[in-house]
Amino acid sequence: MNRLWLRFALCIYALLYAICLPLMLGIEDSYSDYHELNPIIFPLATIGVSLGLWLHRSIEWKIPAALLIIIASFNVADWPTIHNIAAVLFFMVSTWIMVTDKRFRIFGILSLVAYPLLFTKVEESLFLFEVMQIPILASYHVARVLYLLKLKKKV
């Protein structure tokens, strides 16, 4: 039961991550640019988000969790290929998992709706994509945790 509440807290943390980084450090072209602006906060904050995915009972979420650790460990300035491949895979695998989740598929559909942003000519299109995806992912996990807590009659 405590594990579920920890997962819930980490979901809220992920939402705050999406909001606070731009508020504290300004809007960049991508969340990955925060690594260069603050090489301590970004990796630690990102690894904190990955912890929430590690706590997920489903093995499939271990892959996005590992990809987040790679994203945090290899900054985009020095390791662009590794970082960008991990980032693309993170979002694609996460979207696939949500789309194939019959109970919470709506979050996967919302995630898919954001992908066309990547093909727009707006300068901050990648940032806008990420700022939409992170809350969708966090909300998906909040919904799953609340569902599990309700099953255990603790909400």
Side-chain angles (χ1 to χ4, degrees):
M1 185 56 61
N2 288 338
R3 185 179 177 137
L4 283 175
W5 285 110
L6 178 58
R7 277 180 54 196
F8 180 79
L10 288 168
C11 293
I12 301 305
Y13 170 79
L15 287 169
L16 292 174
Y17 170 93
I19 296 165
C20 291
L21 279 177
L23 288 178
M24 290 179 359
L25 302 173
I27 294 174
E28 294 295 321
D29 291 338
S30 166
Y31 273 78
S32 298
D33 292 338
Y34 294 127
H35 197 290
E36 194 171 334
L37 291 174
N38 199 317
I40 303 297
I41 289 177
F42 178 80
L44 291 176
T46 304
I47 289 170
V49 172
S50 78
L51 177 62
L53 297 177
W54 277 111
L55 292 174
H56 204 287
R57 289 256 186 231
S58 174
I59 190 77
E60 61 196 1
W61 283 103
K62 305 289 189 240
I63 295 168
L67 290 166
L68 269 182
I69 291 170
I70 292 169
I71 291 165
S73 300
F74 294 92
N75 70 61
V76 73
D78 297 328
W79 305 92
T81 303
I82 294 170
H83 180 92
N84 289 331
I85 288 171
V88 167
L89 288 173
F90 169 77
F91 285 114
M92 290 177 66
V93 170
S94 297
T95 299
W96 175 255
I97 293 168
M98 291 187 294
V99 165
T100 58
D101 185 332
K102 292 176 184 160
R103 186 169 285 119
F104 299 101
R105 180 173 286 144
I106 186 67
F107 294 100
I109 293 167
L110 291 172
S111 178
L112 286 171
V113 167
Y115 278 85
L117 276 173
L118 294 172
F119 303 104
T120 64
K121 299 223 186 253
V122 177
E123 188 175 330
E124 296 88 11
S125 62
L126 180 56
F127 177 81
L128 293 172
F129 172 79
E130 293 170 331
V131 86
M132 288 178 66
Q133 288 292 336
I134 297 168
I136 290 168
L137 280 161
S139 299
Y140 166 84
H141 288 286
V142 165
R144 286 189 55 92
V145 169
L146 291 176
Y147 174 77
L148 293 171
L149 287 169
K150 185 178 176 183
L151 286 179
K152 294 181 185 250
K153 307 268 191 247
K154 296 294 181 182
V155 173

PDB file of all heavy atoms in Angstrom, residues 6-28:
ATOM      1  N   LEU A   6       3.619   6.081  -2.659  1.00  0.00           N
ATOM      2  CA  LEU A   6       4.887   6.605  -3.171  1.00  0.00           C
ATOM      3  C   LEU A   6       4.786   6.829  -4.677  1.00  0.00           C
ATOM      4  O   LEU A   6       5.227   7.861  -5.188  1.00  0.00           O
ATOM      5  CB  LEU A   6       6.043   5.649  -2.839  1.00  0.00           C
ATOM      6  CG  LEU A   6       7.417   6.056  -3.370  1.00  0.00           C
ATOM      7  CD1 LEU A   6       7.831   7.429  -2.849  1.00  0.00           C
ATOM      8  CD2 LEU A   6       8.447   5.002  -2.998  1.00  0.00           C
ATOM      9  N   ARG A   7       4.191   5.883  -5.386  1.00  0.00           N
ATOM     10  CA  ARG A   7       3.973   6.055  -6.826  1.00  0.00           C
ATOM     11  C   ARG A   7       3.100   7.279  -7.101  1.00  0.00           C
ATOM     12  O   ARG A   7       3.367   8.049  -8.032  1.00  0.00           O
ATOM     13  CB  ARG A   7       3.316   4.816  -7.440  1.00  0.00           C
ATOM     14  CG  ARG A   7       4.305   3.733  -7.780  1.00  0.00           C
ATOM     15  CD  ARG A   7       3.663   2.517  -8.385  1.00  0.00           C
ATOM     16  NE  ARG A   7       2.840   2.812  -9.549  1.00  0.00           N
ATOM     17  CZ  ARG A   7       1.949   1.964 -10.044  1.00  0.00           C
ATOM     18  NH1 ARG A   7       1.770   0.783  -9.500  1.00  0.00           N
ATOM     19  NH2 ARG A   7       1.239   2.283 -11.094  1.00  0.00           N
ATOM     20  N   PHE A   8       2.065   7.463  -6.289  1.00  0.00           N
ATOM     21  CA  PHE A   8       1.190   8.631  -6.452  1.00  0.00           C
ATOM     22  C   PHE A   8       1.996   9.920  -6.268  1.00  0.00           C
ATOM     23  O   PHE A   8       1.894  10.847  -7.076  1.00  0.00           O
ATOM     24  CB  PHE A   8       0.028   8.567  -5.454  1.00  0.00           C
ATOM     25  CG  PHE A   8      -0.906   9.728  -5.572  1.00  0.00           C
ATOM     26  CD1 PHE A   8      -1.849   9.767  -6.580  1.00  0.00           C
ATOM     27  CD2 PHE A   8      -0.842  10.782  -4.682  1.00  0.00           C
ATOM     28  CE1 PHE A   8      -2.718  10.841  -6.708  1.00  0.00           C
ATOM     29  CE2 PHE A   8      -1.697  11.860  -4.791  1.00  0.00           C
ATOM     30  CZ  PHE A   8      -2.638  11.896  -5.813  1.00  0.00           C
ATOM     31  N   ALA A   9       2.822   9.966  -5.218  1.00  0.00           N
ATOM     32  CA  ALA A   9       3.650  11.154  -4.961  1.00  0.00           C
ATOM     33  C   ALA A   9       4.617  11.404  -6.122  1.00  0.00           C
ATOM     34  O   ALA A   9       4.831  12.561  -6.517  1.00  0.00           O
ATOM     35  CB  ALA A   9       4.411  10.985  -3.649  1.00  0.00           C
ATOM     36  N   LEU A  10       5.174  10.350  -6.687  1.00  0.00           N
ATOM     37  CA  LEU A  10       6.093  10.506  -7.807  1.00  0.00           C
ATOM     38  C   LEU A  10       5.371  10.951  -9.085  1.00  0.00           C
ATOM     39  O   LEU A  10       5.954  11.644  -9.922  1.00  0.00           O
ATOM     40  CB  LEU A  10       6.882   9.223  -8.030  1.00  0.00           C
ATOM     41  CG  LEU A  10       7.937   8.947  -6.947  1.00  0.00           C
ATOM     42  CD1 LEU A  10       8.478   7.526  -7.075  1.00  0.00           C
ATOM     43  CD2 LEU A  10       9.060   9.968  -6.992  1.00  0.00           C
ATOM     44  N   CYS A  11       4.110  10.599  -9.220  1.00  0.00           N
ATOM     45  CA  CYS A  11       3.303  11.097 -10.353  1.00  0.00           C
ATOM     46  C   CYS A  11       3.103  12.607 -10.230  1.00  0.00           C
ATOM     47  O   CYS A  11       3.216  13.341 -11.218  1.00  0.00           O
ATOM     48  CB  CYS A  11       1.952  10.406 -10.407  1.00  0.00           C
ATOM     49  SG  CYS A  11       2.007   8.665 -10.808  1.00  0.00           S
ATOM     50  N   ILE A  12       2.795  13.049  -9.022  1.00  0.00           N
ATOM     51  CA  ILE A  12       2.639  14.484  -8.780  1.00  0.00           C
ATOM     52  C   ILE A  12       3.977  15.188  -9.014  1.00  0.00           C
ATOM     53  O   ILE A  12       4.032  16.272  -9.597  1.00  0.00           O
ATOM     54  CB  ILE A  12       2.102  14.741  -7.347  1.00  0.00           C
ATOM     55  CG1 ILE A  12       0.751  14.043  -7.151  1.00  0.00           C
ATOM     56  CG2 ILE A  12       2.022  16.239  -7.054  1.00  0.00           C
ATOM     57  CD1 ILE A  12      -0.317  14.398  -8.166  1.00  0.00           C
ATOM     58  N   TYR A  13       5.053  14.550  -8.575  1.00  0.00           N
ATOM     59  CA  TYR A  13       6.398  15.084  -8.805  1.00  0.00           C
ATOM     60  C   TYR A  13       6.653  15.260 -10.307  1.00  0.00           C
ATOM     61  O   TYR A  13       7.210  16.278 -10.731  1.00  0.00           O
ATOM     62  CB  TYR A  13       7.436  14.142  -8.182  1.00  0.00           C
ATOM     63  CG  TYR A  13       8.853  14.450  -8.552  1.00  0.00           C
ATOM     64  CD1 TYR A  13       9.549  15.482  -7.942  1.00  0.00           C
ATOM     65  CD2 TYR A  13       9.509  13.698  -9.531  1.00  0.00           C
ATOM     66  CE1 TYR A  13      10.856  15.774  -8.283  1.00  0.00           C
ATOM     67  CE2 TYR A  13      10.816  13.979  -9.877  1.00  0.00           C
ATOM     68  CZ  TYR A  13      11.484  15.014  -9.255  1.00  0.00           C
ATOM     69  OH  TYR A  13      12.768  15.288  -9.605  1.00  0.00           O
ATOM     70  N   ALA A  14       6.246  14.298 -11.119  1.00  0.00           N
ATOM     71  CA  ALA A  14       6.435  14.390 -12.572  1.00  0.00           C
ATOM     72  C   ALA A  14       5.652  15.574 -13.146  1.00  0.00           C
ATOM     73  O   ALA A  14       6.146  16.269 -14.049  1.00  0.00           O
ATOM     74  CB  ALA A  14       6.022  13.091 -13.249  1.00  0.00           C
ATOM     75  N   LEU A  15       4.452  15.806 -12.627  1.00  0.00           N
ATOM     76  CA  LEU A  15       3.687  16.978 -13.074  1.00  0.00           C
ATOM     77  C   LEU A  15       4.408  18.274 -12.701  1.00  0.00           C
ATOM     78  O   LEU A  15       4.495  19.203 -13.502  1.00  0.00           O
ATOM     79  CB  LEU A  15       2.286  16.964 -12.463  1.00  0.00           C
ATOM     80  CG  LEU A  15       1.315  15.942 -13.041  1.00  0.00           C
ATOM     81  CD1 LEU A  15       0.062  15.840 -12.178  1.00  0.00           C
ATOM     82  CD2 LEU A  15       0.951  16.300 -14.469  1.00  0.00           C
ATOM     83  N   LEU A  16       4.930  18.316 -11.477  1.00  0.00           N
ATOM     84  CA  LEU A  16       5.677  19.496 -11.037  1.00  0.00           C
ATOM     85  C   LEU A  16       6.947  19.686 -11.863  1.00  0.00           C
ATOM     86  O   LEU A  16       7.342  20.814 -12.160  1.00  0.00           O
ATOM     87  CB  LEU A  16       6.007  19.390  -9.547  1.00  0.00           C
ATOM     88  CG  LEU A  16       4.803  19.467  -8.608  1.00  0.00           C
ATOM     89  CD1 LEU A  16       5.231  19.197  -7.167  1.00  0.00           C
ATOM     90  CD2 LEU A  16       4.114  20.819  -8.729  1.00  0.00           C
ATOM     91  N   TYR A  17       7.588  18.589 -12.218  1.00  0.00           N
ATOM     92  CA  TYR A  17       8.782  18.608 -13.070  1.00  0.00           C
ATOM     93  C   TYR A  17       8.463  19.318 -14.389  1.00  0.00           C
ATOM     94  O   TYR A  17       9.215  20.174 -14.847  1.00  0.00           O
ATOM     95  CB  TYR A  17       9.207  17.156 -13.301  1.00  0.00           C
ATOM     96  CG  TYR A  17      10.271  16.894 -14.333  1.00  0.00           C
ATOM     97  CD1 TYR A  17      11.607  16.828 -13.967  1.00  0.00           C
ATOM     98  CD2 TYR A  17       9.949  16.643 -15.665  1.00  0.00           C
ATOM     99  CE1 TYR A  17      12.601  16.535 -14.898  1.00  0.00           C
ATOM    100  CE2 TYR A  17      10.927  16.347 -16.601  1.00  0.00           C
ATOM    101  CZ  TYR A  17      12.250  16.294 -16.215  1.00  0.00           C
ATOM    102  OH  TYR A  17      13.218  16.003 -17.133  1.00  0.00           O
ATOM    103  N   ALA A  18       7.336  18.961 -14.973  1.00  0.00           N
ATOM    104  CA  ALA A  18       6.938  19.542 -16.256  1.00  0.00           C
ATOM    105  C   ALA A  18       6.674  21.040 -16.144  1.00  0.00           C
ATOM    106  O   ALA A  18       6.940  21.793 -17.080  1.00  0.00           O
ATOM    107  CB  ALA A  18       5.691  18.837 -16.790  1.00  0.00           C
ATOM    108  N   ILE A  19       6.185  21.468 -14.995  1.00  0.00           N
ATOM    109  CA  ILE A  19       5.827  22.873 -14.793  1.00  0.00           C
ATOM    110  C   ILE A  19       7.010  23.690 -14.272  1.00  0.00           C
ATOM    111  O   ILE A  19       7.286  24.789 -14.753  1.00  0.00           O
ATOM    112  CB  ILE A  19       4.640  22.980 -13.813  1.00  0.00           C
ATOM    113  CG1 ILE A  19       3.398  22.328 -14.423  1.00  0.00           C
ATOM    114  CG2 ILE A  19       4.367  24.429 -13.427  1.00  0.00           C
ATOM    115  CD1 ILE A  19       2.285  22.064 -13.433  1.00  0.00           C
ATOM    116  N   CYS A  20       7.728  23.153 -13.296  1.00  0.00           N
ATOM    117  CA  CYS A  20       8.741  23.933 -12.588  1.00  0.00           C
ATOM    118  C   CYS A  20      10.019  24.176 -13.377  1.00  0.00           C
ATOM    119  O   CYS A  20      10.616  25.247 -13.248  1.00  0.00           O
ATOM    120  CB  CYS A  20       9.068  23.277 -11.248  1.00  0.00           C
ATOM    121  SG  CYS A  20       7.695  23.392 -10.085  1.00  0.00           S
ATOM    122  N   LEU A  21      10.466  23.217 -14.169  1.00  0.00           N
ATOM    123  CA  LEU A  21      11.694  23.452 -14.940  1.00  0.00           C
ATOM    124  C   LEU A  21      11.559  24.680 -15.842  1.00  0.00           C
ATOM    125  O   LEU A  21      12.420  25.558 -15.805  1.00  0.00           O
ATOM    126  CB  LEU A  21      12.094  22.212 -15.745  1.00  0.00           C
ATOM    127  CG  LEU A  21      12.835  21.126 -14.974  1.00  0.00           C
ATOM    128  CD1 LEU A  21      13.099  19.919 -15.869  1.00  0.00           C
ATOM    129  CD2 LEU A  21      14.134  21.623 -14.396  1.00  0.00           C
ATOM    130  N   PRO A  22      10.498  24.790 -16.638  1.00  0.00           N
ATOM    131  CA  PRO A  22      10.372  26.003 -17.461  1.00  0.00           C
ATOM    132  C   PRO A  22      10.182  27.274 -16.623  1.00  0.00           C
ATOM    133  O   PRO A  22      10.696  28.331 -16.988  1.00  0.00           O
ATOM    134  CB  PRO A  22       9.140  25.747 -18.327  1.00  0.00           C
ATOM    135  CG  PRO A  22       8.924  24.285 -18.287  1.00  0.00           C
ATOM    136  CD  PRO A  22       9.471  23.807 -16.985  1.00  0.00           C
ATOM    137  N   LEU A  23       9.467  27.172 -15.501  1.00  0.00           N
ATOM    138  CA  LEU A  23       9.267  28.358 -14.666  1.00  0.00           C
ATOM    139  C   LEU A  23      10.574  28.814 -14.029  1.00  0.00           C
ATOM    140  O   LEU A  23      10.838  30.014 -13.919  1.00  0.00           O
ATOM    141  CB  LEU A  23       8.225  28.083 -13.585  1.00  0.00           C
ATOM    142  CG  LEU A  23       6.779  27.972 -14.055  1.00  0.00           C
ATOM    143  CD1 LEU A  23       5.855  27.647 -12.894  1.00  0.00           C
ATOM    144  CD2 LEU A  23       6.329  29.257 -14.743  1.00  0.00           C
ATOM    145  N   MET A  24      11.394  27.863 -13.602  1.00  0.00           N
ATOM    146  CA  MET A  24      12.649  28.200 -12.935  1.00  0.00           C
ATOM    147  C   MET A  24      13.751  28.579 -13.922  1.00  0.00           C
ATOM    148  O   MET A  24      14.545  29.480 -13.657  1.00  0.00           O
ATOM    149  CB  MET A  24      13.138  27.022 -12.079  1.00  0.00           C
ATOM    150  CG  MET A  24      12.297  26.759 -10.865  1.00  0.00           C
ATOM    151  SD  MET A  24      12.807  25.354  -9.819  1.00  0.00           S
ATOM    152  CE  MET A  24      14.205  24.636 -10.580  1.00  0.00           C
ATOM    153  N   LEU A  25      13.807  27.894 -15.059  1.00  0.00           N
ATOM    154  CA  LEU A  25      14.930  28.054 -15.979  1.00  0.00           C
ATOM    155  C   LEU A  25      14.559  28.693 -17.314  1.00  0.00           C
ATOM    156  O   LEU A  25      15.418  28.891 -18.162  1.00  0.00           O
ATOM    157  CB  LEU A  25      15.584  26.684 -16.224  1.00  0.00           C
ATOM    158  CG  LEU A  25      16.096  25.966 -14.969  1.00  0.00           C
ATOM    159  CD1 LEU A  25      16.573  24.553 -15.305  1.00  0.00           C
ATOM    160  CD2 LEU A  25      17.202  26.766 -14.295  1.00  0.00           C
ATOM    161  N   GLY A  26      13.290  29.001 -17.522  1.00  0.00           N
ATOM    162  CA  GLY A  26      12.846  29.606 -18.775  1.00  0.00           C
ATOM    163  C   GLY A  26      12.478  28.555 -19.805  1.00  0.00           C
ATOM    164  O   GLY A  26      12.788  27.383 -19.659  1.00  0.00           O
ATOM    165  N   ILE A  27      11.818  28.998 -20.853  1.00  0.00           N
ATOM    166  CA  ILE A  27      11.402  28.086 -21.923  1.00  0.00           C
ATOM    167  C   ILE A  27      12.572  27.911 -22.886  1.00  0.00           C
ATOM    168  O   ILE A  27      13.159  28.879 -23.359  1.00  0.00           O
ATOM    169  CB  ILE A  27      10.162  28.621 -22.654  1.00  0.00           C
ATOM    170  CG1 ILE A  27       8.970  28.621 -21.705  1.00  0.00           C
ATOM    171  CG2 ILE A  27       9.859  27.794 -23.899  1.00  0.00           C
ATOM    172  CD1 ILE A  27       7.724  29.252 -22.264  1.00  0.00           C
ATOM    173  N   GLU A  28      12.892  26.666 -23.162  1.00  0.00           N
ATOM    174  CA  GLU A  28      13.981  26.312 -24.073  1.00  0.00           C
ATOM    175  C   GLU A  28      13.390  25.616 -25.298  1.00  0.00           C
ATOM    176  O   GLU A  28      12.187  25.424 -25.385  1.00  0.00           O
ATOM    177  CB  GLU A  28      14.974  25.394 -23.359  1.00  0.00           C
ATOM    178  CG  GLU A  28      15.714  26.061 -22.219  1.00  0.00           C
ATOM    179  CD  GLU A  28      16.626  27.191 -22.669  1.00  0.00           C
ATOM    180  OE1 GLU A  28      17.273  27.052 -23.728  1.00  0.00           O
ATOM    181  OE2 GLU A  28      16.678  28.220 -21.975  1.00  0.00           O
TER     182      GLU A  28
END
